[in-house]
């Protein structure tokens, strides 16, 4: 669920923090890193682990990244640049509804086992994900938001696209209420 995590994380972070200068590149990295690390690992070791959501889907991983940012940076620009990675990781846990998988969310506090996926094999797991209408609905919602943001930010324009890739910012005002 790549588009769901990217689109929803960007939308939530922009409107929760109301920070038009947030580096969205770092937020997106945080929003997808758990799946980029855990999914291949979980699929390869599925017979042994019985899960695809592993340690990167735990609060521990996000807390360690956040603590690392706080220790490695001082207030100001470097911290403001790197903190969105931890925010994206926390939003990923929220968007995956990880509270339904407490053994993984609270890993290793509740033990060293991860919450079981409920599938008997990798093939069954993949079929379940691909066949789940909620996955596709999330992907469509994420894509719709990203397309709207791209349109409003005029990212079809070369200069606007260059500005985004250079700074992680998009020129779309956040409505203040």
């Amino acid at each position: 669920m790549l588009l769901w995590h990217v689109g929803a994380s960007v939308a939530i972070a922009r409107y929760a923090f109301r920070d038009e200068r947030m580096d969205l590149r770092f937020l997106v990295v945080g929003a997808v890193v758990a799946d980029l690390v855990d999914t291949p690992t979980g699929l390869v070791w599925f017979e042994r682990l019985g899960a695809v959501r592993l340690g990167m889907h735990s609060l521990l991983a996000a807390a360690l990244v956040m603590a690392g940012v706080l220790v490695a940076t001082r207030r100001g620009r470097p911290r403001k640049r790197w903190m969105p990675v931890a925010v994206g990781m926390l939003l990923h846990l929220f968007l995956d509804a990880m509270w339904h998988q407490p053994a993984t969310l609270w890993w290793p506090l509740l033990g060293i086992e991860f919450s079981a996926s409920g599938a008997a094999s990798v093939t069954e797991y993949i079929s379940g994900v691909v066949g789940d209408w909620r996955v596709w609905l999330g992907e469509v919602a994420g894509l719709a938001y990203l397309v709207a943001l791209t349109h409003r930010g005029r990212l079809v324009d070369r200069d606007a696209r260059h500005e985004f890739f250079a700074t992680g910012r998009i020129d779309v005002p956040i409505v203040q209420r």
Side-chain angles (χ1 to χ4, degrees):
M1 293 194 346
L2 180 70
L3 296 172
W4 166 244
H5 287 298
V6 172
S9 293
V10 169
I12 292 168
R14 281 179 48 84
Y15 293 98
F17 294 105
R18 300 205 175 278
D19 182 2
E20 294 174 2
R21 298 181 52 83
M22 179 185 291
D23 192 328
L24 298 177
R25 299 170 304 172
F26 286 76
L27 179 74
V28 167
V29 167
V32 299
V33 71
D35 284 344
L36 292 178
V37 172
D38 282 353
T39 301
T41 306
L43 291 174
V44 167
W45 295 97
F46 193 84
E47 296 289 325
R48 183 176 207 177
L49 299 172
V52 174
R53 292 177 176 166
L54 308 172
M56 292 297 289
H57 281 81
S58 70
L59 282 171
L60 177 64
L64 288 173
V65 168
M66 188 171 290
V69 169
L70 291 172
V71 168
T73 62
R74 293 181 175 218
R75 287 185 187 214
R77 193 169 294 155
R79 185 172 288 173
K80 190 171 176 107
R81 169 173 282 165
W82 286 97
M83 193 56 74
V85 175
V87 170
M89 291 176 74
L90 290 168
L91 286 171
H92 184 102
L93 299 179
F94 170 73
L95 295 169
D96 271 354
M98 288 304 295
W99 56 87
H100 292 297
Q101 298 180 5
T104 300
L105 179 65
W106 293 103
W107 180 85
L109 296 176
L110 299 180
I112 61 169
E113 299 292 322
F114 297 104
S115 300
S117 71
S121 67
V122 171
T123 306
E124 185 180 321
Y125 174 80
I126 292 171
S127 295
V129 171
V130 171
D132 189 345
W133 64 271
R134 293 168 295 193
V135 170
W136 292 105
L137 182 63
E139 291 297 289
V140 168
L143 178 62
Y145 177 78
L146 292 172
V147 167
L149 191 64
T150 298
H151 176 71
R152 289 189 59 215
R154 297 178 316 282
L155 290 181
V156 293
D157 176 63
R158 182 175 174 226
D159 292 336
R161 198 170 46 252
H162 178 4
E163 175 71 16
F164 174 74
F165 286 121
T167 66
R169 296 186 192 114
I170 189 164
D171 187 22
V172 176
I174 299 170
V175 178
Q176 302 292 328
R177 292 185 190 230

